[in-house]
Amino acid sequence: MPALTTHERKRLRRIGHELSPIVMIGNHGLSDGVIEELRRALADHELIKVKVAGEDRELRQTLIDSVVEVSGADVVQQVGKIILMFKKAEKRNVHLSNLVRFAHLDD
């Protein structure tokens, strides 16, 4: 997968600013249910925010790295415990895609 360009990242961050986290990763880490929900959310919405719990920064970063590896998504931005992730859908659902929903924020 080619890396996102600077322009694409700016656009996705602009859209991401409007989003709330829809996947929460708690103290139990990356369970099968969380992985399934993460994949479903990315397939439906393409651009999502994920909140990762935990106070230990190194442990949290390890968990974030695992999330990225499992999902195959790009990290657009990381601010504290929140990561903004993007994965282009194979078949875009125009009713659920955040890219379609917030298209008015494009340049």
Side-chain angles (χ1 to χ4, degrees):
M1 175 184 290
L4 295 170
T5 66
T6 303
H7 179 72
E8 289 170 327
R9 282 188 189 281
K10 285 175 77 173
R11 177 178 163 260
L12 294 173
R13 281 196 312 265
R14 198 168 31 249
I15 294 170
H17 184 73
E18 303 293 323
L19 303 177
S20 297
I22 61 170
V23 176
M24 313 282 186
I25 301 174
N27 296 331
H28 297 293
L30 215 51
S31 67
D32 291 339
V34 172
I35 292 170
E36 184 178 325
E37 179 61 21
L38 178 67
R39 288 181 176 153
R40 186 210 52 80
L42 282 166
D44 288 347
H45 303 292
E46 298 182 276
L47 183 69
I48 64 169
K49 277 187 179 176
V50 177
K51 184 172 184 175
V52 181
E55 297 303 319
D56 183 344
R57 287 184 181 184
E58 290 179 17
L59 188 60
R60 191 169 59 232
Q61 189 57 51
T62 301
L63 188 55
I64 290 170
D65 294 340
S66 297
V67 167
V68 171
E69 184 178 328
V70 164
S71 68
D74 289 313
V75 174
V76 176
Q77 184 178 36
Q78 179 179 343
V79 179
K81 297 178 181 182
I82 306 290
I83 53 176
L84 180 63
M85 301 179 71
F86 170 73
K87 185 173 183 182
K88 185 172 174 70
E90 291 179 23
K91 184 176 180 188
R92 179 175 286 167
N93 183 334
V94 295
H95 301 290
L96 296 175
S97 174
N98 285 324
L99 302 182
V100 173
R101 193 169 142 216
F102 293 102
H104 64 280
L105 296 176
D106 283 342
D107 292 339

PDB file of all heavy atoms in Angstrom, residues 38-65:
ATOM      1  N   LEU A  38     -12.845  -3.531  14.915  1.00  0.00           N
ATOM      2  CA  LEU A  38     -11.913  -2.630  14.231  1.00  0.00           C
ATOM      3  C   LEU A  38     -11.972  -2.831  12.720  1.00  0.00           C
ATOM      4  O   LEU A  38     -12.092  -1.867  11.957  1.00  0.00           O
ATOM      5  CB  LEU A  38     -10.500  -2.880  14.752  1.00  0.00           C
ATOM      6  CG  LEU A  38      -9.374  -2.075  14.138  1.00  0.00           C
ATOM      7  CD1 LEU A  38      -9.514  -0.600  14.510  1.00  0.00           C
ATOM      8  CD2 LEU A  38      -8.034  -2.600  14.616  1.00  0.00           C
ATOM      9  N   ARG A  39     -11.928  -4.063  12.287  1.00  0.00           N
ATOM     10  CA  ARG A  39     -11.991  -4.363  10.842  1.00  0.00           C
ATOM     11  C   ARG A  39     -13.334  -3.940  10.242  1.00  0.00           C
ATOM     12  O   ARG A  39     -13.389  -3.403   9.144  1.00  0.00           O
ATOM     13  CB  ARG A  39     -11.733  -5.840  10.605  1.00  0.00           C
ATOM     14  CG  ARG A  39     -10.289  -6.216  10.839  1.00  0.00           C
ATOM     15  CD  ARG A  39     -10.028  -7.664  10.573  1.00  0.00           C
ATOM     16  NE  ARG A  39      -8.606  -7.964  10.713  1.00  0.00           N
ATOM     17  CZ  ARG A  39      -8.143  -9.152  11.038  1.00  0.00           C
ATOM     18  NH1 ARG A  39      -8.957 -10.162  11.233  1.00  0.00           N
ATOM     19  NH2 ARG A  39      -6.842  -9.339  11.151  1.00  0.00           N
ATOM     20  N   ARG A  40     -14.427  -4.196  10.973  1.00  0.00           N
ATOM     21  CA  ARG A  40     -15.750  -3.808  10.488  1.00  0.00           C
ATOM     22  C   ARG A  40     -15.859  -2.289  10.386  1.00  0.00           C
ATOM     23  O   ARG A  40     -16.343  -1.753   9.395  1.00  0.00           O
ATOM     24  CB  ARG A  40     -16.847  -4.340  11.414  1.00  0.00           C
ATOM     25  CG  ARG A  40     -18.258  -4.081  10.865  1.00  0.00           C
ATOM     26  CD  ARG A  40     -19.301  -3.904  11.938  1.00  0.00           C
ATOM     27  NE  ARG A  40     -18.993  -2.930  12.951  1.00  0.00           N
ATOM     28  CZ  ARG A  40     -19.144  -1.605  12.817  1.00  0.00           C
ATOM     29  NH1 ARG A  40     -19.559  -1.088  11.683  1.00  0.00           N
ATOM     30  NH2 ARG A  40     -18.854  -0.783  13.802  1.00  0.00           N
ATOM     31  N   ALA A  41     -15.383  -1.588  11.403  1.00  0.00           N
ATOM     32  CA  ALA A  41     -15.453  -0.129  11.406  1.00  0.00           C
ATOM     33  C   ALA A  41     -14.644   0.465  10.261  1.00  0.00           C
ATOM     34  O   ALA A  41     -15.095   1.395   9.587  1.00  0.00           O
ATOM     35  CB  ALA A  41     -14.965   0.420  12.742  1.00  0.00           C
ATOM     36  N   LEU A  42     -13.461  -0.065  10.008  1.00  0.00           N
ATOM     37  CA  LEU A  42     -12.643   0.432   8.899  1.00  0.00           C
ATOM     38  C   LEU A  42     -13.297   0.134   7.556  1.00  0.00           C
ATOM     39  O   LEU A  42     -13.277   0.971   6.650  1.00  0.00           O
ATOM     40  CB  LEU A  42     -11.235  -0.167   8.950  1.00  0.00           C
ATOM     41  CG  LEU A  42     -10.299   0.460   9.969  1.00  0.00           C
ATOM     42  CD1 LEU A  42      -9.070  -0.420  10.184  1.00  0.00           C
ATOM     43  CD2 LEU A  42      -9.890   1.860   9.534  1.00  0.00           C
ATOM     44  N   ALA A  43     -13.880  -1.045   7.412  1.00  0.00           N
ATOM     45  CA  ALA A  43     -14.549  -1.407   6.159  1.00  0.00           C
ATOM     46  C   ALA A  43     -15.753  -0.508   5.903  1.00  0.00           C
ATOM     47  O   ALA A  43     -16.008  -0.105   4.773  1.00  0.00           O
ATOM     48  CB  ALA A  43     -14.965  -2.873   6.185  1.00  0.00           C
ATOM     49  N   ASP A  44     -16.495  -0.182   6.965  1.00  0.00           N
ATOM     50  CA  ASP A  44     -17.687   0.644   6.822  1.00  0.00           C
ATOM     51  C   ASP A  44     -17.362   2.127   6.670  1.00  0.00           C
ATOM     52  O   ASP A  44     -17.916   2.808   5.813  1.00  0.00           O
ATOM     53  CB  ASP A  44     -18.608   0.484   8.034  1.00  0.00           C
ATOM     54  CG  ASP A  44     -19.308  -0.855   8.077  1.00  0.00           C
ATOM     55  OD1 ASP A  44     -19.293  -1.573   7.054  1.00  0.00           O
ATOM     56  OD2 ASP A  44     -19.873  -1.185   9.138  1.00  0.00           O
ATOM     57  N   HIS A  45     -16.493   2.631   7.528  1.00  0.00           N
ATOM     58  CA  HIS A  45     -16.277   4.078   7.630  1.00  0.00           C
ATOM     59  C   HIS A  45     -15.002   4.590   6.967  1.00  0.00           C
ATOM     60  O   HIS A  45     -14.864   5.790   6.751  1.00  0.00           O
ATOM     61  CB  HIS A  45     -16.258   4.499   9.104  1.00  0.00           C
ATOM     62  CG  HIS A  45     -17.496   4.129   9.842  1.00  0.00           C
ATOM     63  ND1 HIS A  45     -18.726   4.709   9.590  1.00  0.00           N
ATOM     64  CD2 HIS A  45     -17.723   3.216  10.819  1.00  0.00           C
ATOM     65  CE1 HIS A  45     -19.634   4.188  10.385  1.00  0.00           C
ATOM     66  NE2 HIS A  45     -19.054   3.273  11.143  1.00  0.00           N
ATOM     67  N   GLU A  46     -14.045   3.719   6.702  1.00  0.00           N
ATOM     68  CA  GLU A  46     -12.754   4.030   6.085  1.00  0.00           C
ATOM     69  C   GLU A  46     -11.830   4.866   6.970  1.00  0.00           C
ATOM     70  O   GLU A  46     -10.641   4.614   7.035  1.00  0.00           O
ATOM     71  CB  GLU A  46     -12.911   4.724   4.734  1.00  0.00           C
ATOM     72  CG  GLU A  46     -13.623   3.875   3.704  1.00  0.00           C
ATOM     73  CD  GLU A  46     -13.720   4.554   2.375  1.00  0.00           C
ATOM     74  OE1 GLU A  46     -14.667   5.366   2.205  1.00  0.00           O
ATOM     75  OE2 GLU A  46     -12.863   4.293   1.511  1.00  0.00           O
ATOM     76  N   LEU A  47     -12.359   5.873   7.617  1.00  0.00           N
ATOM     77  CA  LEU A  47     -11.579   6.747   8.484  1.00  0.00           C
ATOM     78  C   LEU A  47     -12.216   6.717   9.866  1.00  0.00           C
ATOM     79  O   LEU A  47     -13.385   7.071  10.011  1.00  0.00           O
ATOM     80  CB  LEU A  47     -11.570   8.182   7.942  1.00  0.00           C
ATOM     81  CG  LEU A  47     -10.738   9.190   8.716  1.00  0.00           C
ATOM     82  CD1 LEU A  47      -9.247   8.888   8.571  1.00  0.00           C
ATOM     83  CD2 LEU A  47     -11.027  10.606   8.230  1.00  0.00           C
ATOM     84  N   ILE A  48     -11.453   6.259  10.860  1.00  0.00           N
ATOM     85  CA  ILE A  48     -12.000   6.129  12.215  1.00  0.00           C
ATOM     86  C   ILE A  48     -10.987   6.612  13.244  1.00  0.00           C
ATOM     87  O   ILE A  48      -9.796   6.685  12.976  1.00  0.00           O
ATOM     88  CB  ILE A  48     -12.394   4.671  12.540  1.00  0.00           C
ATOM     89  CG1 ILE A  48     -11.167   3.749  12.542  1.00  0.00           C
ATOM     90  CG2 ILE A  48     -13.473   4.168  11.610  1.00  0.00           C
ATOM     91  CD1 ILE A  48     -11.430   2.365  13.111  1.00  0.00           C
ATOM     92  N   LYS A  49     -11.525   6.927  14.422  1.00  0.00           N
ATOM     93  CA  LYS A  49     -10.679   7.208  15.572  1.00  0.00           C
ATOM     94  C   LYS A  49     -10.764   6.018  16.514  1.00  0.00           C
ATOM     95  O   LYS A  49     -11.836   5.456  16.725  1.00  0.00           O
ATOM     96  CB  LYS A  49     -11.144   8.459  16.309  1.00  0.00           C
ATOM     97  CG  LYS A  49     -10.647   9.741  15.724  1.00  0.00           C
ATOM     98  CD  LYS A  49     -11.022  10.907  16.613  1.00  0.00           C
ATOM     99  CE  LYS A  49     -10.496  12.208  16.040  1.00  0.00           C
ATOM    100  NZ  LYS A  49     -10.952  13.360  16.854  1.00  0.00           N
ATOM    101  N   VAL A  50      -9.605   5.666  17.080  1.00  0.00           N
ATOM    102  CA  VAL A  50      -9.507   4.569  18.033  1.00  0.00           C
ATOM    103  C   VAL A  50      -8.890   5.126  19.310  1.00  0.00           C
ATOM    104  O   VAL A  50      -7.887   5.841  19.252  1.00  0.00           O
ATOM    105  CB  VAL A  50      -8.625   3.427  17.482  1.00  0.00           C
ATOM    106  CG1 VAL A  50      -8.468   2.313  18.505  1.00  0.00           C
ATOM    107  CG2 VAL A  50      -9.192   2.889  16.175  1.00  0.00           C
ATOM    108  N   LYS A  51      -9.491   4.802  20.447  1.00  0.00           N
ATOM    109  CA  LYS A  51      -8.949   5.235  21.729  1.00  0.00           C
ATOM    110  C   LYS A  51      -8.315   4.027  22.415  1.00  0.00           C
ATOM    111  O   LYS A  51      -8.940   2.981  22.551  1.00  0.00           O
ATOM    112  CB  LYS A  51     -10.047   5.816  22.620  1.00  0.00           C
ATOM    113  CG  LYS A  51      -9.515   6.366  23.918  1.00  0.00           C
ATOM    114  CD  LYS A  51     -10.586   7.106  24.686  1.00  0.00           C
ATOM    115  CE  LYS A  51      -9.979   7.725  25.939  1.00  0.00           C
ATOM    116  NZ  LYS A  51     -10.950   8.552  26.650  1.00  0.00           N
ATOM    117  N   VAL A  52      -7.067   4.209  22.830  1.00  0.00           N
ATOM    118  CA  VAL A  52      -6.317   3.139  23.473  1.00  0.00           C
ATOM    119  C   VAL A  52      -6.105   3.509  24.936  1.00  0.00           C
ATOM    120  O   VAL A  52      -5.488   4.531  25.239  1.00  0.00           O
ATOM    121  CB  VAL A  52      -4.958   2.923  22.770  1.00  0.00           C
ATOM    122  CG1 VAL A  52      -4.199   1.791  23.430  1.00  0.00           C
ATOM    123  CG2 VAL A  52      -5.158   2.646  21.287  1.00  0.00           C
ATOM    124  N   ALA A  53      -6.622   2.679  25.841  1.00  0.00           N
ATOM    125  CA  ALA A  53      -6.497   2.949  27.276  1.00  0.00           C
ATOM    126  C   ALA A  53      -5.104   2.584  27.760  1.00  0.00           C
ATOM    127  O   ALA A  53      -4.361   1.861  27.095  1.00  0.00           O
ATOM    128  CB  ALA A  53      -7.541   2.150  28.041  1.00  0.00           C
ATOM    129  N   GLY A  54      -4.770   3.079  28.932  1.00  0.00           N
ATOM    130  CA  GLY A  54      -3.502   2.729  29.561  1.00  0.00           C
ATOM    131  C   GLY A  54      -2.650   3.951  29.802  1.00  0.00           C
ATOM    132  O   GLY A  54      -2.619   4.877  28.990  1.00  0.00           O
ATOM    133  N   GLU A  55      -1.973   3.940  30.920  1.00  0.00           N
ATOM    134  CA  GLU A  55      -1.125   5.068  31.285  1.00  0.00           C
ATOM    135  C   GLU A  55       0.329   4.868  30.876  1.00  0.00           C
ATOM    136  O   GLU A  55       1.073   5.829  30.730  1.00  0.00           O
ATOM    137  CB  GLU A  55      -1.215   5.323  32.797  1.00  0.00           C
ATOM    138  CG  GLU A  55      -2.608   5.727  33.253  1.00  0.00           C
ATOM    139  CD  GLU A  55      -3.134   6.965  32.541  1.00  0.00           C
ATOM    140  OE1 GLU A  55      -2.369   7.924  32.333  1.00  0.00           O
ATOM    141  OE2 GLU A  55      -4.323   6.961  32.164  1.00  0.00           O
ATOM    142  N   ASP A  56       0.755   3.632  30.693  1.00  0.00           N
ATOM    143  CA  ASP A  56       2.134   3.327  30.313  1.00  0.00           C
ATOM    144  C   ASP A  56       2.325   3.602  28.822  1.00  0.00           C
ATOM    145  O   ASP A  56       1.770   2.901  27.975  1.00  0.00           O
ATOM    146  CB  ASP A  56       2.438   1.862  30.642  1.00  0.00           C
ATOM    147  CG  ASP A  56       3.876   1.460  30.342  1.00  0.00           C
ATOM    148  OD1 ASP A  56       4.581   2.196  29.614  1.00  0.00           O
ATOM    149  OD2 ASP A  56       4.293   0.399  30.843  1.00  0.00           O
ATOM    150  N   ARG A  57       3.107   4.621  28.491  1.00  0.00           N
ATOM    151  CA  ARG A  57       3.272   5.029  27.092  1.00  0.00           C
ATOM    152  C   ARG A  57       3.879   3.938  26.218  1.00  0.00           C
ATOM    153  O   ARG A  57       3.463   3.744  25.073  1.00  0.00           O
ATOM    154  CB  ARG A  57       4.145   6.280  27.011  1.00  0.00           C
ATOM    155  CG  ARG A  57       3.444   7.512  27.466  1.00  0.00           C
ATOM    156  CD  ARG A  57       4.321   8.716  27.284  1.00  0.00           C
ATOM    157  NE  ARG A  57       3.614   9.903  27.756  1.00  0.00           N
ATOM    158  CZ  ARG A  57       4.080  11.111  27.665  1.00  0.00           C
ATOM    159  NH1 ARG A  57       5.260  11.326  27.136  1.00  0.00           N
ATOM    160  NH2 ARG A  57       3.380  12.130  28.106  1.00  0.00           N
ATOM    161  N   GLU A  58       4.881   3.244  26.723  1.00  0.00           N
ATOM    162  CA  GLU A  58       5.528   2.195  25.934  1.00  0.00           C
ATOM    163  C   GLU A  58       4.558   1.049  25.643  1.00  0.00           C
ATOM    164  O   GLU A  58       4.505   0.556  24.515  1.00  0.00           O
ATOM    165  CB  GLU A  58       6.770   1.682  26.654  1.00  0.00           C
ATOM    166  CG  GLU A  58       7.899   2.692  26.685  1.00  0.00           C
ATOM    167  CD  GLU A  58       9.119   2.167  27.424  1.00  0.00           C
ATOM    168  OE1 GLU A  58       9.212   0.936  27.631  1.00  0.00           O
ATOM    169  OE2 GLU A  58       9.965   3.004  27.776  1.00  0.00           O
ATOM    170  N   LEU A  59       3.815   0.649  26.648  1.00  0.00           N
ATOM    171  CA  LEU A  59       2.834  -0.419  26.467  1.00  0.00           C
ATOM    172  C   LEU A  59       1.736   0.019  25.502  1.00  0.00           C
ATOM    173  O   LEU A  59       1.308  -0.747  24.631  1.00  0.00           O
ATOM    174  CB  LEU A  59       2.226  -0.801  27.821  1.00  0.00           C
ATOM    175  CG  LEU A  59       1.321  -2.019  27.855  1.00  0.00           C
ATOM    176  CD1 LEU A  59       2.075  -3.261  27.396  1.00  0.00           C
ATOM    177  CD2 LEU A  59       0.786  -2.232  29.260  1.00  0.00           C
ATOM    178  N   ARG A  60       1.293   1.271  25.643  1.00  0.00           N
ATOM    179  CA  ARG A  60       0.260   1.805  24.751  1.00  0.00           C
ATOM    180  C   ARG A  60       0.776   1.852  23.315  1.00  0.00           C
ATOM    181  O   ARG A  60       0.065   1.487  22.380  1.00  0.00           O
ATOM    182  CB  ARG A  60      -0.157   3.192  25.230  1.00  0.00           C
ATOM    183  CG  ARG A  60      -1.387   3.706  24.546  1.00  0.00           C
ATOM    184  CD  ARG A  60      -1.943   4.954  25.196  1.00  0.00           C
ATOM    185  NE  ARG A  60      -0.987   6.051  25.219  1.00  0.00           N
ATOM    186  CZ  ARG A  60      -0.637   6.743  26.289  1.00  0.00           C
ATOM    187  NH1 ARG A  60      -1.160   6.467  27.465  1.00  0.00           N
ATOM    188  NH2 ARG A  60       0.229   7.726  26.206  1.00  0.00           N
ATOM    189  N   GLN A  61       2.033   2.256  23.109  1.00  0.00           N
ATOM    190  CA  GLN A  61       2.589   2.317  21.756  1.00  0.00           C
ATOM    191  C   GLN A  61       2.713   0.925  21.148  1.00  0.00           C
ATOM    192  O   GLN A  61       2.449   0.724  19.967  1.00  0.00           O
ATOM    193  CB  GLN A  61       3.947   3.027  21.750  1.00  0.00           C
ATOM    194  CG  GLN A  61       4.472   3.304  20.358  1.00  0.00           C
ATOM    195  CD  GLN A  61       3.523   4.136  19.518  1.00  0.00           C
ATOM    196  OE1 GLN A  61       3.054   5.181  19.942  1.00  0.00           O
ATOM    197  NE2 GLN A  61       3.229   3.675  18.308  1.00  0.00           N
ATOM    198  N   THR A  62       3.084  -0.056  21.971  1.00  0.00           N
ATOM    199  CA  THR A  62       3.144  -1.444  21.500  1.00  0.00           C
ATOM    200  C   THR A  62       1.771  -1.910  21.051  1.00  0.00           C
ATOM    201  O   THR A  62       1.623  -2.562  20.011  1.00  0.00           O
ATOM    202  CB  THR A  62       3.683  -2.363  22.623  1.00  0.00           C
ATOM    203  OG1 THR A  62       4.981  -1.910  22.990  1.00  0.00           O
ATOM    204  CG2 THR A  62       3.761  -3.802  22.167  1.00  0.00           C
ATOM    205  N   LEU A  63       0.745  -1.556  21.815  1.00  0.00           N
ATOM    206  CA  LEU A  63      -0.628  -1.918  21.470  1.00  0.00           C
ATOM    207  C   LEU A  63      -1.060  -1.234  20.179  1.00  0.00           C
ATOM    208  O   LEU A  63      -1.686  -1.848  19.314  1.00  0.00           O
ATOM    209  CB  LEU A  63      -1.571  -1.557  22.615  1.00  0.00           C
ATOM    210  CG  LEU A  63      -3.003  -2.036  22.522  1.00  0.00           C
ATOM    211  CD1 LEU A  63      -3.076  -3.543  22.313  1.00  0.00           C
ATOM    212  CD2 LEU A  63      -3.758  -1.654  23.772  1.00  0.00           C
ATOM    213  N   ILE A  64      -0.703   0.031  20.025  1.00  0.00           N
ATOM    214  CA  ILE A  64      -1.029   0.769  18.791  1.00  0.00           C
ATOM    215  C   ILE A  64      -0.355   0.120  17.590  1.00  0.00           C
ATOM    216  O   ILE A  64      -0.969  -0.060  16.537  1.00  0.00           O
ATOM    217  CB  ILE A  64      -0.657   2.255  18.926  1.00  0.00           C
ATOM    218  CG1 ILE A  64      -1.610   2.938  19.913  1.00  0.00           C
ATOM    219  CG2 ILE A  64      -0.680   2.959  17.567  1.00  0.00           C
ATOM    220  CD1 ILE A  64      -1.200   4.343  20.308  1.00  0.00           C
ATOM    221  N   ASP A  65       0.900  -0.263  17.746  1.00  0.00           N
ATOM    222  CA  ASP A  65       1.613  -0.939  16.657  1.00  0.00           C
ATOM    223  C   ASP A  65       0.918  -2.240  16.276  1.00  0.00           C
ATOM    224  O   ASP A  65       0.802  -2.574  15.090  1.00  0.00           O
ATOM    225  CB  ASP A  65       3.068  -1.211  17.051  1.00  0.00           C
ATOM    226  CG  ASP A  65       3.882   0.064  17.219  1.00  0.00           C
ATOM    227  OD1 ASP A  65       3.469   1.128  16.690  1.00  0.00           O
ATOM    228  OD2 ASP A  65       4.939   0.002  17.882  1.00  0.00           O
TER     229      ASP A  65
END
